[in-house]
Amino acid sequence: MAKSITRLGKPPEDSGFGAAVDPYANQLDKVGRRKRILRVWQTAYLGGLGKHVQFMQFGQPGLRPLIWLHSVDYPMAPPWGLCVDAADMGFSVVSVRRPGFGETSPVSTIAEEVRLLSDFLEEAEFENAVLIAEGTARRAGLRLAQASERIAFTLLARPAYAAPSFGSIEPWIRDLLIQTVQTDAGARLALTAISHFGRRSGHLSLYENFLKVESDTQFIHSQTRDLAEAWACVCALKPETFRRELRNLEPDPSLTPGALAGFPGIAVIGADTQAEWRTSFEAKSAELEIATAILPSGSLFALYQNAGALLQLIEDCA
């Protein structure tokens, strides 16, 4: 069950860390079901590690935790409407900014990230949680789920474990991604180029042109405030964090045939995922022996634009 984690941990006196903000996003009975409800980001201090984790919790204590780990491309909490729908179905969304994003402390390895996230779950005393790991969060999320008894079920969203090529991604974006994984200097240049494009053409244009999926574009223009916050978070990344994230797209030696047989989880993509990626996703998932599901629309933003189908899938499987 979910516990309120507004005052998780206590920082040292000289840390400069202020009092946590009480969440007011969970009082649905007081504000009306469909009015805009602000989601409040908070920062927890993990005393055992001396590190911070930034998170957003939506839903009254007592609901089943739905732990959400974002990908590098969209470091944002789910839309408020999805959070409301999740609460209606008995889930408390806990969106976690991963290491190096926002106010969450950076790490150097996957093992360090797993320990940081595991300590966060332990101090919050979550139980029977469902974990959603998107995109570049797949490697850390999968290892967290395998190591933590507090995770009961895992959804790997667009897990990026089987893309044989860059598909129809714009060549200049492809070149930036290749440059990023090679060196920290390459990552620094790539971040500078992406930020420059965002200032010149607008970050919404960058998101639109990444995959050129109409359903994703509709979502982008319906969530401009969230996209702006996500974009600001991306632009603030350190080159080493950016590089570490994109290296999660490289082949994972632990994902051998049958590696996920019996794993309590499912792999999910959107119906508008380009055909080449969808084919390789289905083939690799079959090789790993993990069940799959296709959400009705979308690619990059498939989870967010299919709230009903996503939550029903979790309720049915978890």
Side-chain angles (χ1 to χ4, degrees), residues 13-213:
E13 292 300 323
D14 61 351
S15 71
F17 178 69
V21 178
D22 286 325
Y24 51 91
N26 57 5
Q27 303 301 320
L28 303 182
D29 56 329
K30 296 181 181 179
V31 299
R33 184 178 183 279
R34 281 295 177 184
K35 292 181 181 178
R36 178 162 296 274
I37 304 166
L38 298 179
R39 289 154 300 160
V40 180
W41 288 99
Q42 303 170 78
T43 301
Y45 179 79
L46 305 180
L49 297 178
K51 294 181 180 292
H52 295 91
V53 172
Q54 190 178 29
F55 67 97
M56 184 285 300
Q57 183 178 16
F58 188 109
Q60 296 180 5
L63 300 179
R64 187 179 186 185
L66 181 57
I67 313 297
W68 203 299
L69 302 181
H70 64 79
S71 182
V72 64
D73 38 77
Y74 191 63
M76 188 56 192
W80 73 274
L82 191 156
C83 294
V84 172
D85 291 342
D88 283 347
M89 294 184 68
F91 296 101
S92 171
V93 173
V94 182
S95 183
V96 180
R97 285 233 163 103
R98 296 177 47 239
F101 291 83
E103 296 180 9
T104 299
S105 301
V107 299
S108 299
T109 67
I110 292 293
E112 288 181 22
E113 178 170 2
V114 171
R115 184 183 176 192
L116 178 68
L117 297 173
S118 181
D119 275 24
F120 176 72
L121 298 181
E122 288 294 325
E123 290 205 33
E125 299 180 1
F126 289 132
E127 296 178 2
N128 193 32
V130 176
L131 177 69
I132 293 180
E134 284 197 77
T136 58
R138 180 259 306 158
R139 188 173 296 195
L142 183 55
R143 295 184 186 181
L144 174 67
Q146 292 170 327
S148 176
E149 295 182 354
R150 296 186 180 277
I151 304 296
F153 188 83
T154 301
L155 189 146
L156 302 177
R158 50 188 182 91
Y161 48 45
S165 73
F166 288 92
S168 60
I169 289 180
E170 289 281 346
W172 72 270
I173 297 179
R174 175 202 63 205
D175 293 344
L176 283 178
L177 297 180
I178 293 173
Q179 175 179 281
T180 296
V181 300
Q182 293 175 344
T183 64
D184 283 345
R188 185 175 297 106
L189 289 172
L191 272 174
T192 299
I194 291 172
S195 298
H196 175 72
F197 180 92
R199 289 193 300 270
R200 185 187 65 191
S201 302
H203 61 277
L204 296 184
S205 176
L206 181 62
Y207 278 105
E208 286 182 60
N209 286 286
F210 183 59
L211 295 177
K212 293 185 172 67
V213 175

